[in-house]
Amino acid sequence: MPAGKFIMSALKKMSSEKIIRLGEWFVPTVGNTIWSITTKHGIGASKFFTLSEEVVRDWGLPQDCLAKAITSARFVETFTFMRGDWERLRSEGRRVYMFMCHKPKSQLPKAVQDYINWGEAECRVRSGVACSETTVCKKRAETRELHGWYDLGGFIPTPIMAIRYPKYHPQFFLVDTPLATYHGIITLIPKVRIRFYNWVFDPSEYEGIISEVNNNVELDEVEVRALLAYLNSSLVWYLLEQNSRRTGDGALVLDINTLKGLPLLNVKAINEGRVEELARLFDELEEKARRLASS
């Protein structure tokens, strides 16, 4: 029996209570802005939307029009992205904010209006088109729920993300603080409650955006780490290799439809000790990855 059929056969024989589909607990999306979640489009005009602290200071932009963010997949070197990683990148002058103003332009401070005007008149993408005139930004300007091309609608935080173009090994990673991100990162938006370190994700707060919310399930940080151990396993990588598309050079591209149907370990239905062991294995994976990244 070919390896793929053998693996799928083995999964089918497992108790249906112990294996669910990823889409039962999570909504895979490209990025986690409201715009990206509802349309499956990237943000467009990244030169306008991603900012360093120096740019924020030069324009005098207020914090309530900014979101702390992962703006490049290259910033994620291991299997976690912690608040300390974000702070280090900020101190290095990297672009670690996303412009996030969900208000009509007329209600924004002058500094913010000036920045938006710059995006319309002077900011250019590589093709030479004004940021506001890119295809994605023009689509956003026509969206009734948003206030203009500059409005991403806010974002939904999640502790589980993945590199969208992982090439030759999986890289699902843990995020320990609410961060926005862009289309180069796949985010797993929870349909279930997650009690994670010092914050609680409650999907019912986003019922207008997330469908089929399941408040009967609550995951803690140990269970999240166990899921990440599973998602970074060779088994999951094999399943993704069989079902995902590839770039011209053969590297894997994560596909949100494939991820929805991915078999996922039901950590609520297996022995607590096994869950803790998986969480410990994830910690070991991260420790080794950090050691290699710093060498």
Side-chain angles (χ1 to χ4, degrees):
M1 179 185 293
K5 290 184 179 179
F6 177 81
I7 289 174
M8 293 309 296
S9 176
L11 285 170
K12 288 177 181 178
K13 289 178 182 178
M14 292 184 69
S15 167
S16 59
E17 292 182 354
K18 294 183 180 180
I19 292 292
I20 60 174
R21 296 294 176 182
L22 185 144
E24 293 181 39
W25 283 358
F26 299 95
V27 180
T29 70
V30 287
N32 64 344
T33 66
I34 302 301
W35 161 257
S36 294
I37 293 168
T38 56
T39 68
K40 308 298 187 292
H41 290 303
I43 61 174
S46 60
K47 184 178 180 181
F48 174 87
F49 285 105
T50 62
L51 308 95
S52 66
E53 195 165 60
E54 181 181 13
V55 172
V56 170
R57 187 170 53 249
D58 288 348
W59 281 96
L61 299 177
Q63 290 297 312
D64 62 358
C65 273
L66 302 170
K68 295 175 182 177
I70 301 172
T71 63
S72 172
R74 293 192 300 274
F75 293 164
V76 185
E77 297 181 331
T78 63
F79 296 92
T80 65
F81 190 90
M82 313 302 274
R83 175 63 182 265
D85 297 315
W86 184 88
E87 291 287 359
R88 174 180 55 80
L89 292 166
R90 180 193 59 77
S91 67
E92 292 173 357
R94 303 299 183 92
R95 292 176 177 263
V96 292
Y97 293 99
M98 285 177 66
F99 185 80
M100 200 78 66
C101 274
H102 185 45
K103 294 179 181 178
K105 186 176 176 181
S106 61
Q107 296 179 15
L108 295 171
K110 184 178 183 303
V112 180
Q113 291 187 31
D114 288 345
Y115 185 70
I116 294 171
N117 290 337
W118 173 75
E120 295 169 348
E122 298 180 51
C123 180
R124 304 277 166 175
V125 297
R126 288 182 181 179
S127 65
V129 175
C131 290
S132 61
E133 291 298 310
T134 60
T135 301
V136 173
C137 289
K138 286 198 292 186
K139 283 184 179 180
R140 198 157 45 239
E142 297 168 357
T143 303
R144 183 177 301 176
E145 294 79 11
L146 302 177
H147 299 294
W149 68 271
Y150 61 86
D151 182 7
L152 298 175
F155 74 100
I156 300 181
T158 178
I160 302 180
M161 301 187 185
I163 304 299
R164 187 181 181 187
Y165 303 93
K167 294 188 176 179
Y168 307 110
H169 64 82
Q171 196 173 351
F172 290 83
F173 61 96
L174 178 71
V175 181
D176 75 339
T177 189
L179 294 174
T181 193
Y182 76 123
H183 62 275
I185 302 289
I186 293 286
T187 59
L188 302 188
I189 306 298
K191 292 182 177 183
V192 300
R193 285 174 57 85
I194 295 183
R195 193 172 297 278
F196 189 77
Y197 294 133
N198 61 345
W199 57 287
V200 177
F201 177 88
D202 185 352
S204 63
E205 296 178 13
Y206 305 97
E207 280 193 276
I209 301 162
I210 304 173
S211 61
E212 300 175 349
V213 165
N214 184 356
N215 275 322
N216 294 322
V217 175
E218 179 174 298
L219 303 176
D220 61 27
E221 58 94 8
V222 173
E223 291 166 330
V224 169
R225 284 160 43 225
L227 286 176
L228 280 158
Y230 169 80
L231 289 169
N232 284 296
S233 69
S234 56
L235 168 61
V236 167
W237 184 245
Y238 180 84
L239 293 173
L240 291 173
E241 281 190 318
Q242 297 305 303
N243 296 287
S244 299
R245 67 183 180 88
R246 295 179 179 275
T247 61
D249 62 359
L252 196 71
V253 180
L254 294 192
D255 175 78
I256 59 176
N257 290 322
T258 299
L259 285 172
K260 283 179 186 176
L262 184 73
L264 184 69
L265 190 65
N266 183 350
V267 292
K268 308 302 290 188
I270 63 176
N271 181 277
E272 184 178 342
R274 295 291 180 89
V275 175
E276 292 174 350
E277 176 67 9
L278 280 170
R280 185 187 64 78
L281 289 172
F282 174 74
D283 294 342
E284 287 184 5
L285 175 68
E286 170 60 13
E287 182 182 353
K288 290 179 182 177
R290 288 264 166 181
R291 195 158 56 238
L292 287 171
S294 61
S295 62

